[in-house]
Amino acid sequence: MSPSDDLRVFTDAGELARAAAELVLSSARDAIAARGGFHLALAGGTTPRAMYVELSVRRAAEAGFEDWHAWFGDERGVPPEDPRSNHRMAAESGLLGRLPAGQVHRMRGEAPDLQREAERYERELCSVLGTPPRLDLVLLGLGTDGHTASLFPASPALRSRRWVTVGQAPVPPHGRLTLTLPTLAEARSLVFLVSGADKAPALAGVLDSTGAAVPARLVRPRAGSLIWLTDRSANASRPSEPRTA
Ligand code: 6PG
């Protein structure tokens, strides 16, 4: 873990979700005040769902979502109605329905040619954000193998110099769409959400020098911030007593 990284440890998944929602809301307020809009890339999997539910309620009560844009850090190569779809997970949380439809930028996992869809999404990203595409906040998860987004160990996607590419997962659906390391590096803020004892070895490997150079360790902001939001069970393998928020 580099000295500039910010590690925050919460009691449990519920407290982690509430803290993550607060961090996103604060980032949104700052981005909208500074640039008139908030561009958030959503993580997939299961960890962020509780936070998306919290966000959809908290922000609706606060100021609304008309200035928000939702992007995706990655998507499985499945249609949006598939139970494995990250878009479906975010939609079912209630979050996506709160945003203007034209401001939810879906990765089309159903595309027959994922490489062409990666190129299309990259054009959409750059047409809205410019080049390099600077997202305000990118939410990321951590796999037990150290993957993040759909950047898996030893995959060619890790070497991509594009902004969006196709990632190959070791488990089905194998074909995925993913933001690349260069795009993550350009983000103003990178926030990892890591919860659960099953992630403890991967988290220790990523944050401590002992770990292999797994994809999550390769995520480095060029000029932005990197924040780890974790819970105690995910920190169980850490040698030092982490600072508890
Ligand atoms: C995906 C995610 C992936 C996820 C991690 C952690 O498409 O699965 O983007 O990177 O964040 O695998 O997943 P969990 O939150 O389900 O543990």
Side-chain angles (χ1 to χ4, degrees):
M1 179 174 178
S2 80
S4 61
D5 290 357
D6 177 351
L7 172 67
R8 303 176 196 178
V9 184
F10 299 93
T11 305
D12 55 32
E15 192 183 17
L16 170 57
R18 288 187 292 277
E22 191 48 54
L23 180 64
V24 172
L25 290 168
S26 173
S27 178
R29 285 190 287 268
D30 292 348
I32 291 166
R35 291 175 295 280
F38 178 51
H39 293 268
L40 169 68
L42 301 177
T46 56
T47 303
R49 191 180 191 285
M51 188 264 275
Y52 296 162
V53 174
E54 177 90 6
L55 263 184
S56 65
V57 173
R58 292 279 306 279
R59 180 66 187 186
E62 179 183 292
F65 292 87
E66 59 280 352
D67 298 322
W68 287 42
H69 285 252
W71 301 86
F72 286 81
D74 71 325
E75 183 55 277
R76 288 82 178 271
V78 296
E81 62 274 7
D82 188 296
R84 299 166 294 178
S85 163
N86 289 335
H87 180 276
R88 174 170 166 169
M89 182 272 284
E92 288 179 341
S93 75
L95 178 60
L96 295 188
R98 302 277 192 173
L99 276 70
Q103 293 170 209
V104 176
H105 305 274
R106 185 174 71 86
M107 287 179 167
R108 300 169 187 168
E110 71 278 17
D113 182 334
L114 289 180
Q115 181 54 44
R116 287 187 62 179
E117 172 55 17
E119 291 162 6
R120 185 204 66 78
Y121 200 79
E122 180 173 289
R123 288 195 299 273
E124 182 173 352
L125 192 65
C126 294
S127 70
V128 174
L129 294 177
T131 302
R134 288 207 78 190
L135 290 153
D136 291 306
L137 193 153
V138 179
L139 294 169
L140 293 165
L142 178 68
T144 54
D145 61 354
H147 83 260
T148 191
S150 283
L151 299 168
F152 289 88
S155 79
L158 290 170
R159 296 189 300 277
S160 173
R161 309 318 299 161
R162 304 296 301 249
W163 305 115
V164 184
T165 193
V166 175
Q168 289 301 327
V171 294
H174 295 292
R176 317 250 176 135
L177 293 156
T178 187
L179 299 184
T180 61
L181 290 174
T183 306
L184 300 184
E186 289 298 330
R188 292 185 173 87
S189 181
L190 295 162
V191 178
F192 277 92
L193 302 176
V194 187
S195 171
D198 63 323
K199 301 293 177 69
L203 183 63
V206 170
L207 294 181
D208 302 321
S209 56
T210 54
V214 293
R217 280 192 77 188
L218 303 176
V219 175
R220 307 301 311 163
R222 179 175 58 77
S225 63
L226 173 55
I227 301 170
W228 291 84
L229 301 183
T230 69
D231 60 18
R232 285 186 181 158
S233 52
N235 271 269
S237 305
R238 302 286 321 291
S240 56
E241 182 53 42
R243 180 165 61 87
T244 301

